[in-house]
């Protein structure tokens, strides 16, 4: 790794916010660096649905055609699965909108979307430092210095310092950390914790995107790319603790948070249960903030 480098802007985080900002600046001739702690492709807690109104933006970012080539089926109906009730309606505006290029929203896994965006940024000349974590931001004369550390796991690998007058903190809001932009959080019982999984072999109609409600939380399901169903949800911290506690007592041992969430949804939301009855988990459940 080089030990020091100077740019016009340093962007911390290669989610959609970071890569979009990087692309916009690089196309205006700025020298831009992105620092991303995870190796891509990586999955992320997210519903992965993008509405039709956002597709013009993907075109401007230069990934519209690639997104259309990869994303799941068009979502023409919205639904609500709550308790034993399942209701649905046409996607608002879909009837009146001409069946144009951007007629309906679709879902694409964040492992694919974020990689498309980062590749586009790289092609626009953005220098990518990955997997590298930004560990400090300090003033350095009329610039800011960002210290970064490789997260590749190679012990003893040296860190380096990047300098720029503009720093964009696009690292998301979930994780605590040492950066001045990572604000301290107090844990509250009403906090909503995020969970997400992919399943294959679901029975969800491919054009339907239901909102799910269940005691203590809500979420959504949608068919994304390659036949993967994306399910994501938020659950109150206190409800999750109660669910885990009663399962642990039943079983006499530790119960992972995601397992408690999945069982809770399946027990209380018939539409979700029907959609996932014969489905198989595709990769592990993810949590935000990460939990065990
Ligand atoms: C349950 C749930 C469902 C959702 N469903 C949808 C949906 O269907 N459609 C939709 O449009 N939005 C959805 N969202 C919202 C969407 O996920 C966020 O708006 C989006 O991820 C925010 O993007 P971002 O680029 O700001 O941050 P993120 O996507 O969080 O990206 C931040 C990046 O920064 C990196 N990073 C963090 N710290 C550091 C560091 N110190 N150094 C280097 N890198 C770092 C992370 O690894 C990550 O790649 C959902 C959110 C949740 C919680």
């Amino acid at each position: 790794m080089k030990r020091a480098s100077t740019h016009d802007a340093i962007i911390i985080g290669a989610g959609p916010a970071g890569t979009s900002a990087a692309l916009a600046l690089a196309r205006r001739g700025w020298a831009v660096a992105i620092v991303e702690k995870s190796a891509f492709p990586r999955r992320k807690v997210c519903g992965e649905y993008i509405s039709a109104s956002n597709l013009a933006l993907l075109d401007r970012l230069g990934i519209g055609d690639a997104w259309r080539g990869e994303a799941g089926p068009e979502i023409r109906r919205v639904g609500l699965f709550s308790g034993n009730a399942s209701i649905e309606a046409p996607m608002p505006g879909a009837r009146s909108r001409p069946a144009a290029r951007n007629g309906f929203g679709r879902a694409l896994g964040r492992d694919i979307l974020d990689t498309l965006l980062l590749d586009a940024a790289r092609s626009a000349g953005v220098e990518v430092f990955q997997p590298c974590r930004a560990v400090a931001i300090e003033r350095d004369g009329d610039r800011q210095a960002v210290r970064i550390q490789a997260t590749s796991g190679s012990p003893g690998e040296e860190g380096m310092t990047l300098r720029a007058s503009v720093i964009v903190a696009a690292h998301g809001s979930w994780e605590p950390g040492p950066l001045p932009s990572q604000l301290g959080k107090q844990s509250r019982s009403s906090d909503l914790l995020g969970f997400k999984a992919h399943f294959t072999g679901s029975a969800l109609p491919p054009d339907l995107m239901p909102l799910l409600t269940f005691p203590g939380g809500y979420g959504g399901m949608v068919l994304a790319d390659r036949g993967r169903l994306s399910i994501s949800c938020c659950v109150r911290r206190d409800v999750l603790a109660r669910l885990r506690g009663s399962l642990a007592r039943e079983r006499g041992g530790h119960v992972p948070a995601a397992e408690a969430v999945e069982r809770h949804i399946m027990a209380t939301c018939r539409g979700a249960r029907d959609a996932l009855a014969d489905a198989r988990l595709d990769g592990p459940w993810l949590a935000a903030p990460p939990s065990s």
Side-chain angles (χ1 to χ4, degrees):
M1 220 187 222
K2 288 184 288 177
R3 291 196 54 79
S5 188
T6 300
H7 298 83
D8 296 321
I10 299 163
I11 296 177
I12 303 171
T19 45
S20 305
L23 268 165
L25 294 174
R27 286 185 184 153
R28 282 163 182 74
W30 288 43
V32 181
I34 284 193
V35 183
E36 168 56 52
K37 69 180 171 61
S38 308
F40 280 13
R42 61 96 179 83
R43 296 164 68 233
K44 195 123 206 352
V45 174
C46 182
E48 308 185 319
Y49 173 76
I50 292 196
S51 60
S53 56
N54 286 315
L55 301 190
L57 173 61
L58 296 186
D59 284 331
R60 284 212 303 281
L61 292 170
I63 67 151
D65 286 339
W67 183 89
R68 287 182 188 84
E70 297 267 12
E74 290 185 335
I75 302 304
R76 293 168 180 250
R77 294 180 291 156
V78 287
L80 174 66
F81 291 172
S82 182
N84 285 324
S86 296
I87 57 174
E88 59 176 67
M91 180 60 88
R95 277 187 180 145
S96 55
R97 212 173 8 228
R101 186 171 154 83
N102 290 342
F104 294 93
R106 295 157 65 187
L108 177 64
R110 289 286 301 273
D111 43 356
I112 303 174
L113 174 69
D114 290 18
T115 303
L116 287 176
L117 283 166
L118 186 57
D119 286 348
R122 201 181 267 114
S123 301
V126 173
E127 195 173 358
V128 179
F129 295 86
Q130 183 185 35
C132 282
R133 183 187 296 274
V135 292
I137 304 175
E138 287 146 4
R139 183 162 273 287
D140 182 11
D142 58 351
R143 289 166 193 261
Q144 303 286 337
V146 178
R147 262 195 296 125
I148 68 174
Q149 212 106 58
T151 50
S152 55
S154 33
E157 187 156 3
E158 280 183 71
M160 68 178 288
T161 301
L162 306 177
R163 290 186 177 78
S165 44
V166 173
I167 310 295
V168 178
H171 47 63
S173 56
W174 288 101
E175 279 184 51
L179 303 179
S181 47
Q182 289 173 311
L183 305 176
K185 285 185 189 151
Q186 282 193 327
S187 154
R188 272 178 267 190
S189 54
S190 60
D191 288 342
L192 288 172
L193 308 179
F195 290 87
K196 187 251 157 44
H198 288 121
F199 285 85
T200 54
S202 89
L204 185 73
D207 64 338
L208 176 66
M209 182 170 64
L211 174 75
L212 316 175
T213 71
F214 46 85
Y218 69 98
M221 294 175 127
V222 66
L223 208 63
D225 51 276
R226 301 164 201 199
R228 293 191 293 182
L229 175 130
S230 175
I231 177 170
S232 61
C233 64
C234 292
V235 188
R236 278 180 64 111
R237 186 188 292 280
D238 53 357
V239 172
L240 180 59
R242 277 202 298 277
L243 292 169
R244 292 180 79 178
S246 64
L247 273 176
R249 278 191 298 280
E250 219 176 278
R251 217 182 267 180
H254 171 85
V255 176
E259 185 186 333
V261 170
E262 183 181 342
R263 285 174 63 125
H264 183 53
I265 294 174
M266 297 293 265
T268 57
C269 182
R270 194 188 69 191
R273 189 162 63 241
D274 291 347
L276 296 178
D278 296 321
R280 288 169 308 283
L281 192 61
D282 182 14
W285 275 87
L286 305 177
S291 65
S292 55

